[in-house]
Amino acid sequence: MFAQEKLKTPPYLQIGDTIAIVAPAGVLKNRVEMVNSAKRLAESWGLKVVLGEHLFNQNNHFSGTDEERAIDFQKALDNSNIKAIWAARGAVSYTHLRAHETGRNLV
């Protein structure tokens, strides 16, 4: 049986906070406007938005290579100014990133 851990609740987002939009899974082919719409929505709430460097890359049905997707996600995690991370498209392939050797552990 696993020891039960108390989940950490992050603070609520505040006006002026920064969020990142990354694509840890599927390709965002023809979805530039969708991402820009999400960015505008967040900005209308008073948030600052950072887009992943490889957000619109494509590698087969993924949004970039394992390394590119891992880099974007890890940069967002490492940046203490980023208070939330939005996945631009479902993150089912995130587990694939966890197996990718980047020399660092995600999370």
Side-chain angles (χ1 to χ4, degrees):
M1 187 175 249
F2 294 102
Q4 204 163 18
E5 294 181 32
K6 185 175 179 174
L7 294 176
K8 294 179 184 177
T9 303
Y12 291 107
L13 291 172
Q14 303 291 320
I15 291 174
D17 281 349
T18 302
I19 66 167
I21 300 176
V22 299
V27 67
L28 297 174
K29 189 174 183 179
N30 301 320
R31 297 199 178 181
V32 173
E33 185 49 41
M34 178 202 68
V35 171
N36 286 333
S37 179
K39 182 177 185 277
R40 286 190 301 271
L41 177 64
E43 290 171 340
S44 78
W45 296 338
L47 301 172
K48 298 173 188 168
V49 180
V50 174
L51 300 179
E53 179 182 347
H54 305 100
L55 186 63
F56 295 108
N57 287 11
Q58 181 175 355
N59 183 43
N60 297 314
H61 61 281
F62 295 113
S63 60
T65 64
D66 290 349
E67 183 176 10
E68 290 168 337
R69 293 180 292 124
I71 286 169
D72 281 358
F73 199 82
Q74 190 65 57
K75 280 184 179 179
L77 287 172
D78 290 345
N79 186 334
S80 62
N81 291 322
I82 293 176
K83 304 301 181 193
I85 301 172
W86 287 5
R89 186 163 173 207
V92 71
S93 296
Y94 170 72
T95 55
H96 196 216
L97 290 183
R98 299 230 2 135
H100 181 72
E101 289 297 322
T102 61
R104 303 180 65 197
N105 289 326
L106 292 173
V107 185

